[in-house]
Amino acid sequence: MRAALLRWYDARHRKLPWRGISDPYRTWVSEIMLQQTRVAAVLGHYRSFLRRFPTVRDLAGARESSVLAAWSGLGYYRRARRLHLAARQIVRERGGVFPASAEEWRKLPGIGRYTAAAIASIAFAEPVAVVDGNVERILRRLFALHGAPPDGELWDLAASLLSHERPGDFNQAMMELGATVCLPGTPLCPQCPIARWCRTRGAGEAAPAGKRRRREIAYVLALRNGSVRLRQRPVTESLMPGMWELPAAARNGVRPAAVFRHSITTTDYRVRVIRAPSRSGQWVPLRRLSRLPLTGLTRKILRHFQIIQ
Ligand code: SF4
């Protein structure tokens, strides 16, 4: 099965800029960007982020606001903050030398079990398996698992399959299979290189789903003489601290200029945007917006109204 999967990966994998490189910094940046974010969205940001911060020393030496501005549009900004903190730690405490094992990577901010294993296997060929949502789905179908498996079982199963000669490629092959063939809805089993070892050969039983919440929010869009009214979120906020957004509006029955749907972590928002004056926040010249860390939702709204590109 291992050989069949690797043959398929060698012949079919998508050519992505973070594949086939031997630079732990680039692998690390790509893995952090790819957390909870689609490949298509990461592609543009990955290149521009690396142009701006080509090495871990450049990232460590940058101001946090520049790092957040370069991250803008990718969402989940805590990732960018932790990436920045970890870069500083690597430079300060390790003289810029990257850890070579998953265990060492896990000691850095923002690096969980999955990310540590992905970086160590891809950049340092350490034989450690990964389990993310894609790999979990494949394992469930491959082994016809039911319900929630005991803690650690999925990791043990993934480790039992791993290629010790090519652990990084094997892990990427599993993720690639999940992203392109063993799809969440209907898997493309006739195209699957490991179908003959699979006990399900079909959608099988889905992983137990997390609960999503719904909320309504409203923002004011106030424009005057080439400036827009924005407020900075307090640095004590747990979500997107220090980032800039439109002021909140009271829900007073005013007809909205636009309505959006937006999802953040486990909440689905219905967002109303009202054109009205606001006293909250401050006037920010539109020409400064490209250098400001804006929340993803604010960026989406300003794009909709063609205030930014
Ligand atoms: Fe997934 Fe189908 Fe392949 Fe099984 S045979 S691993 S269900 S794509």
Side-chain angles (χ1 to χ4, degrees):
M1 194 211 89
R2 216 167 275 143
L5 182 66
L6 284 168
R7 262 199 309 277
W8 170 84
Y9 179 72
D10 290 340
R12 300 281 174 88
H13 71 257
R14 292 168 296 172
K15 303 286 180 278
L16 299 170
W18 47 84
R19 290 208 169 130
I21 53 168
S22 55
D23 179 344
Y25 174 62
R26 286 172 181 246
T27 302
W28 172 35
V29 169
S30 72
E31 285 299 331
I32 301 294
M33 285 190 175
L34 287 164
Q35 289 168 0
Q36 293 151 306
T37 308
R38 285 173 303 111
V39 166
V42 168
L43 278 171
H45 286 89
Y46 174 77
R47 290 198 182 93
S48 58
F49 190 91
L50 289 173
R51 263 198 304 276
R52 201 147 168 192
F53 311 112
T55 68
V56 67
R57 287 185 186 279
D58 296 312
L59 182 59
R63 285 216 309 259
E64 186 183 84
S65 58
S66 314
V67 178
L68 293 178
W71 198 267
S72 197
L74 274 170
Y76 300 100
Y77 290 89
R78 194 177 296 175
R79 294 180 299 176
R81 282 200 179 82
R82 290 183 176 168
L83 181 72
H84 189 212
L85 281 177
R88 290 191 162 171
Q89 205 169 312
I90 290 169
V91 170
R92 196 177 56 236
E93 294 172 13
R94 309 178 56 94
V97 177
F98 291 103
S101 71
E103 203 185 321
E104 287 292 313
W105 274 99
R106 280 196 82 174
K107 294 178 185 162
L108 292 168
I111 310 272
R113 185 173 181 180
Y114 163 81
T115 307
I119 301 169
S121 64
I122 295 169
F124 296 96
E126 190 188 2
V128 280
V130 296
V131 177
D132 67 349
N134 279 330
V135 175
E136 174 174 348
R137 189 170 56 255
I138 298 169
L139 294 174
R140 284 178 168 281
R141 289 168 173 169
L142 202 54
F143 294 100
L145 302 179
H146 300 288
D151 214 23
E153 185 181 325
L154 290 167
W155 287 87
D156 291 346
L157 284 174
S160 72
L161 299 177
L162 185 71
S163 159
H164 283 234
E165 288 74 41
R166 297 174 60 191
D169 286 344
F170 181 88
N171 284 335
Q172 292 187 89
M174 287 289 273
M175 294 186 249
E176 185 79 350
L177 190 73
T180 61
V181 176
C182 195
L183 300 168
T186 310
L188 309 174
C189 303
Q191 298 172 28
C192 178
I194 56 170
R196 52 188 278 221
W197 293 276
C198 180
R199 295 201 189 138
T200 307
R201 288 186 216 166
E205 195 179 293
K211 233 186 171 171
R212 298 197 65 78
R213 288 179 298 163
R214 284 165 191 249
R215 274 194 61 199
E216 298 241 338
I217 40 175
Y219 288 105
V220 171
L221 177 60
L223 291 164
R224 190 186 73 181
N225 302 335
S227 294
V228 62
R229 202 85 187 166
L230 292 179
R231 74 179 271 274
Q232 190 172 22
R233 292 172 70 83
V235 287
T236 48
E237 293 264 357
S238 61
L239 207 58
M240 299 175 283
M243 304 206 60
W244 291 79
E245 63 183 2
L246 295 171
R251 276 180 278 156
N252 55 5
V254 178
R255 195 183 160 85
V259 178
F260 296 85
R261 304 223 167 261
H262 191 72
S263 297
I264 300 176
T265 60
T266 57
T267 308
D268 295 325
Y269 291 93
R270 181 172 177 271
V271 184
R272 291 153 67 248
V273 180
I274 291 156
R275 298 293 295 262
S278 172
R279 288 218 193 100
S280 164
Q282 64 189 74
W283 290 110
V284 176
L286 300 183
R287 63 187 146 70
R288 275 193 56 209
L289 294 182
S290 64
R291 290 189 306 254
L292 218 57
L294 300 171
T295 66
L297 177 55
T298 300
R299 188 165 288 280
K300 190 169 171 179
I301 295 169
L302 295 178
R303 271 205 195 110
H304 173 85
F305 287 97
Q306 299 183 342
I307 294 165
I308 59 169
Q309 290 193 334

